[in-house]
């Protein structure tokens, strides 16, 4: 809506910010976005015991049926604003090569960093031991890690873990390092290929079919942990952990059960305006951002393997 933002929103740049996606990021697949009408929103936390406690359903010929009640605890959260500015000197715009727009490039670069920041946030939350119940998290070490091809048995361990959460997980989330090791595990290769061969690799689709889950997601994003001006310190955003989660794409903040979701207020926005304090000739200040909040609403619907590989 016009006038909804304290800076001029450019529809062309906004369209660019909405469309731009980093293909190496999986945050939107792990914690799907759910639109909310206001920055402050409510979500419901259900009592799972109510749905699995069987009451007396018998009804006498003239008696009244027993009554049940389904409750939920209302939780309140609010979206956070994430955005960046890129001040562009007019001199850069005047001297840009043909068919190159410093402003559009700024929107792409800003959006990429915002997406990467979200990726790191989601990875940190999903692979956080404290986000899972005590009986639904395991820290592997030594011979139990999937990188120990002699002693570990990933298929058995994962299958057993899938049966523990209240809702059986339907997606597996890996960091690239963990997935690379697991897909070459001799016992995994032999189990998927149904033979005694212990060499080769398996695909995500093959292992997903074997474990009876809908999808295997692999986080590939890289993050530089060093501060500006220091030598780069490149790390994998998703590390070497693995999580099994129940994802319900039809769930919203008030209906349905899912491990987690991302509340999103409005679309990404982008705009530009004149800034006379940039360089000798002034310039253009470009801004892009979004309003989101990641929520782990049903931790009982997941299982975490910390340090799944060495």
């Amino acid at each position: 809506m016009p006038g909804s933002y304290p800076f001029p929103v450019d529809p062309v740049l906004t369209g660019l910010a909405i469309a731009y996606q980093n293909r190496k990021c999986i945050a939107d697949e792990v914690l799907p976005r759910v639109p909310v009408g206001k920055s402050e929103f409510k979500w419901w936390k259900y009592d799972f015991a109510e749905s699995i406690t069987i009451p007396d359903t018998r009804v006498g010929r003239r008696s009244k049926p027993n009554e049940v009640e389904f409750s939920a605890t209302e939780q309140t959260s609010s979206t956070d604003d994430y955005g960046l500015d890129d001040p562009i000197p007019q001199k850069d715009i005047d001297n840009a090569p043909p068919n190159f727009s410093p402003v559009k490039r700024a929107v792409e670069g800003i959006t990429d960093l915002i997406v990467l920041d979200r990726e790191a946030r989601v990875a940190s939350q999903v692979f956080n031991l404290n986000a899972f119940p005590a009986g639904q998290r395991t820290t592997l070490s030594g011979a139990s890690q999937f990188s120990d091809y002699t002693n570990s048995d990933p298929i058995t361990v994962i299958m057993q873990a899938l049966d523990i959460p209240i809702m059986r997980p339907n997606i597996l989330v890996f960091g690239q390092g963990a997935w690379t090791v697991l897909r070459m595990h001799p016992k995994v290769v032999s189990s998927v290929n149904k033979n005694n061969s212990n060499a080769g690799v398996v695909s995500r689709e093959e292992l997903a079919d074997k474990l009876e889950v809908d999808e295997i997601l692999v986080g590939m994003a890289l993050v530089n942990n060093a501060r500006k001006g220091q030598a780069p310190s490149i790390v994998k955003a998703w590390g070497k952990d693995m999580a099994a989660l129940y994802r319900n794409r039809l769930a919203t903040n008030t209906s349905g059960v899912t491990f987690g979701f991302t509340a999103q207020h409005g679309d990404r926005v982008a705009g530009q305006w004149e800034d006379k304090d940039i360089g000798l000739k002034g310039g253009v200040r470009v801004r892009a951002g979004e309003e989101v909040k990641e929520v782990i609403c049903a931790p009982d619907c997941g299982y975490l393997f910390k340090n799944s590989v060495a």
Side-chain angles (χ1 to χ4, degrees):
M1 292 178 59
S4 298
Y5 303 97
F7 65 93
V9 174
D10 187 316
V12 175
L13 298 182
T14 294
L16 184 64
I18 293 173
Y20 189 80
Q21 293 182 350
N22 187 326
R23 293 183 179 274
K24 295 183 179 180
C25 294
I26 61 172
D28 286 354
E29 300 298 315
V30 178
L31 298 182
R33 294 176 183 248
V34 173
V36 293
K38 296 182 179 180
S39 180
E40 183 177 287
F41 64 94
K42 299 182 184 298
W43 55 278
W44 292 348
K45 186 175 182 180
Y46 296 95
D47 182 359
F48 287 108
E50 291 179 346
S51 63
I52 61 175
T53 302
I54 303 176
D56 186 355
T57 60
R58 292 174 298 176
V59 182
R61 189 173 68 86
R62 301 193 61 180
S63 64
K64 181 181 178 181
N66 286 325
E67 295 182 351
V68 294
E69 182 179 5
F70 300 101
S71 61
T73 303
E74 189 176 75
Q75 309 287 326
T76 301
S77 298
S78 60
T79 57
D80 295 319
D81 295 347
Y82 297 95
L84 292 169
D85 282 2
D86 186 359
I88 304 175
Q90 185 62 43
K91 186 175 182 179
D92 290 2
I93 297 174
D94 294 340
N95 290 280
N99 301 318
F100 177 81
S101 169
V103 173
K104 290 184 178 180
R105 176 65 187 93
V107 173
E108 290 179 348
I110 289 173
T111 304
D112 191 22
L113 290 174
I114 291 173
V115 168
L116 187 59
D117 181 36
R118 168 166 157 73
E119 189 81 358
R121 291 197 311 272
V122 172
S124 177
Q125 292 183 50
V126 171
F127 285 168
N128 182 358
L129 280 172
N130 294 327
F132 295 79
Q136 293 173 217
R137 61 193 188 200
T138 300
T139 299
L140 302 180
S141 63
S144 66
Q145 290 179 298
F146 300 154
S147 48
D148 188 327
Y149 286 174
T150 301
N151 298 296
S152 65
D153 188 357
I155 294 290
T156 299
V157 171
I158 294 174
M159 287 290 287
Q160 291 173 343
L162 289 172
D163 287 341
I164 295 176
I166 292 175
M167 302 291 287
R168 188 180 192 274
N170 56 4
I171 65 171
L172 300 181
V173 182
F174 289 86
Q176 179 65 62
W179 170 244
T180 298
V181 171
L182 181 69
R183 68 184 307 210
M184 295 189 296
H185 196 295
K187 293 178 183 177
V188 173
V189 174
S190 295
S191 179
V192 170
N193 293 337
K194 300 178 181 180
N195 57 38
N196 293 325
S197 172
N198 58 3
V201 297
V202 300
S203 68
R204 301 182 199 180
E205 293 75 17
E206 288 172 330
L207 187 58
D209 182 66
K210 183 72 176 181
L211 298 173
E212 297 182 335
V213 297
D214 295 342
E215 187 176 13
I216 291 177
L217 298 169
V218 179
M220 304 178 186
L222 298 176
V223 177
N224 177 20
N225 278 345
R227 292 186 178 182
K228 187 175 182 179
Q230 296 180 339
S233 175
I234 310 300
V235 298
K236 294 181 173 65
W238 291 88
K240 298 180 179 179
D241 303 328
M242 172 216 155
L245 311 174
Y246 175 70
R247 181 189 65 190
N248 178 6
R249 289 190 179 277
L250 299 179
T252 69
N253 54 309
T254 58
S255 66
V257 177
T258 189
F259 174 79
F261 67 93
T262 299
Q264 175 176 311
H265 181 219
D267 292 324
R268 286 183 189 144
V269 296
Q272 61 175 316
W273 64 95
E274 181 183 5
D275 188 337
K276 297 181 179 179
D277 293 327
I278 301 175
L280 178 63
K281 298 180 179 180
V284 174
R285 181 168 294 273
V286 178
R287 179 175 298 172
E290 64 180 357
E291 299 178 49
V292 295
K293 179 71 170 186
E294 294 83 18
V295 178
I296 305 298
C297 55
D300 289 347
C301 292
Y303 196 101
L304 175 65
F305 289 99
K306 200 70 176 173
N307 298 335
S308 60
V309 300

